[in-house]
Structures are given as C-alpha cells and as structure tokens.
Amino acid sequence: MAMPQKEGPRANRDIRGVREVQLIDETGQNRGVVSFFDALKIAEEAGLDLVEIAPNSTPPVCKLLDYGRYKFLEQKKAAEARKRQKTVEVKEIKLRPGIDTHDYEVKMKAMRRFFEEGDKVKVTLRFRGREMAHQDLGYKLLLRVKEEMAEIAKVESEPQLEGRQMIMVMAPR
C-alpha cells in the first residue's frame, strides 16, 4: 500500500532516492553540490531542516531553514492571496416592456454600480399576458440597454427568449 502524499515540499528524511543535492545555506549562500547525507548532517548541526526547494532540477536544490516557520509563512501567503481574490457574482436586473423612463434610469444606475464592483449583470425582461405579442418592443428595450452600457460593459450572451422572458447577460469591460 502506498503512503499518502504529504502537502508541500519534502524535508529531511522524507527526501528519498537522492545521492547529491545542490545546497543553499540559511544565509542564502550557494554551498554547491554536496552528498545528501552530508547536507542532512549540516542541517542537524545547525538545528535546522533540509527542505527540498526545486525537486525537479538535477541535482535537486535543498535549503537549510526552519521548516515549521517556512510552512507558517507559506500558509500566511496563501491566506493573503485568498483574501485579495474577488468572486464575480451575477446580479439580476428585472425589466418590463412598458417600463417608465424614471424607473429605467434607476435600473441603469444600479447596473452601472454592479459593473463598477466587477460583477456580471443578467438583464431579465418579463412578458405578461398579451405583451408576448409585442416581443419586438422588449428586444428594442434590451438593445437600448446594450447601447447605453457599451462603454463600460460587453454582452456575454445576446438577448434570447426563454419561455415568457427575454434574457441577456453582460460583463464589465
């Protein structure tokens, strides 16, 4: 049965199948190619760990450092990267074919805000009752939205009819 793979780089006696390593000491100085056991001995004498930095090079590059501290700093770096990452959400704006001018402007203002925050917007135009007979009015309304938002957003999916609603998805430029 195979041993489960550990996360992160190999350290000390976990480094196997290697006779020689390129050794870099704790100050960052290159000590050259050293036998693996000598490198391990140097690490133990310094009270540090021998950590494999570049396992795919020949010979593998190993560095003398405090492995616990190294792992802690790597976790901290990963957490920082996750914190800075922004998830793109899809916001929805619902319209009707006979929307009033002021209501339309309020919806456009909200859309602009969504695009500035880096979110995508799904514009849903709902038809009720006999409005289905005037789908062209709805299509013209979506084209108007598309034209007004052209400088700050691009259309990801063109207006298409799904049942009683017409849908268009836009993303920030």
Side-chain angles (χ1 to χ4, degrees):
M1 190 171 132
M3 293 292 287
Q5 280 298 99
K6 275 197 206 169
E7 284 294 309
R10 298 187 297 179
N12 299 329
R13 302 205 179 275
D14 290 339
I15 304 169
R16 288 198 181 85
V18 178
R19 286 203 180 121
E20 294 181 328
V21 294
Q22 180 83 26
L23 184 66
I24 296 169
D25 64 17
E26 62 274 16
T27 59
Q29 294 295 316
N30 190 343
R31 292 246 194 124
V33 179
V34 182
S35 85
F36 170 70
F37 293 106
D38 288 347
L40 199 58
K41 196 173 172 186
I42 293 167
E44 285 170 357
E45 284 170 3
L48 295 168
D49 299 299
L50 183 68
V51 180
E52 195 174 40
I53 302 297
N56 298 331
S57 62
T58 320
V61 178
C62 291
K63 191 171 183 178
L64 298 177
L65 44 85
D66 181 355
Y67 189 59
R69 180 172 166 72
Y70 173 77
K71 270 177 52 176
F72 169 72
L73 291 173
E74 287 296 306
Q75 284 175 335
K76 208 167 156 184
K77 245 191 269 179
E80 276 294 313
R82 274 197 305 275
K83 200 161 68 174
R84 277 193 233 104
Q85 204 173 46
K86 172 143 184 16
T87 54
V88 176
E89 290 180 43
V90 179
K91 305 284 186 167
E92 187 174 19
I93 294 281
K94 293 181 179 179
L95 303 172
R96 294 279 313 283
I99 191 168
D100 191 52
T101 19
H102 179 262
D103 294 338
Y104 175 80
E105 286 164 10
V106 169
K107 300 275 187 181
M108 291 302 102
K109 193 174 172 185
M111 269 179 78
R112 279 194 182 84
R113 194 179 72 242
F114 293 151
F115 288 134
E116 284 164 11
E117 291 169 5
D119 295 322
K120 291 182 182 183
V121 176
K122 177 180 174 182
V123 185
T124 306
L125 184 79
R126 193 121 195 220
F127 295 104
R128 287 163 71 184
R130 291 193 189 143
E131 290 173 347
M132 281 302 285
H134 302 286
Q135 291 175 17
D136 56 323
L137 292 175
Y139 189 73
K140 283 178 188 169
L141 182 65
L142 287 180
L143 288 180
R144 182 175 156 201
V145 169
K146 183 175 158 180
E147 285 170 17
E148 279 187 36
M149 294 292 155
E151 69 274 355
I152 60 169
K154 59 183 180 285
V155 175
E156 241 180 36
S157 76
E158 291 293 331
Q160 59 195 33
L161 196 67
E162 289 180 13
R164 289 194 153 271
Q165 49 191 14
M166 203 173 274
I167 296 169
M168 173 173 72
V169 179
M170 299 180 84
R173 284 198 185 275

